[in-house]
Amino acid sequence: MANPNRLTAQQCVEVLKEETGNEIKPVTFHSYVNRGHAPKPVEKIGNTPLWKRSEIVEWARNRPGRGARTDLRQPRRRTKNTGTDSE
């Protein structure tokens, strides 16, 4: 019996739509995986790669939106010392 916590690329795309409402094609998902923008498969059955459901759900919830510039570094925020706790 197949493990229900392992997903094919098509199932990963369906989970992405359920979690975010965004639709992508399985070939796009494979492209994300190949570029390192999505989780790597955890196992294979024959030639079919499988992903962990929990990793795909987490990735879907935390992935940047369309057009997000992920190549830019976030600026560091400086904390201001207000001196109010020195009394």
Side-chain angles (χ1 to χ4, degrees):
M1 184 169 165
N3 185 340
N5 292 316
R6 298 293 187 257
L7 305 173
T8 63
Q10 179 63 45
Q11 291 168 322
C12 290
V13 168
E14 291 168 7
V15 167
L16 178 67
K17 181 168 170 108
E18 290 170 13
E19 292 292 323
T20 66
N22 296 330
E23 291 187 54
I24 64 172
K25 295 181 181 181
V27 69
T28 304
F29 177 73
H30 280 292
S31 176
Y32 289 160
V33 171
N34 290 336
R35 288 183 288 173
H37 295 225
K40 297 227 180 269
V42 292
E43 65 180 274
K44 274 187 158 186
I45 295 180
N47 287 331
T48 305
L50 301 173
W51 287 264
K52 284 177 74 173
R53 177 180 289 278
S54 61
E55 288 181 1
I56 296 303
V57 168
E58 182 179 339
W59 171 74
R61 290 179 180 167
N62 296 314
R63 66 189 284 256
R66 184 177 188 174
R69 292 289 309 265
T70 59
D71 59 329
L72 301 176
R73 291 181 50 199
Q74 294 293 324
R76 291 187 187 177
R77 290 184 164 210
R78 292 186 180 186
T79 56
K80 293 183 179 178
N81 186 2
T82 60
T84 57
D85 57 353
S86 62
E87 295 177 25

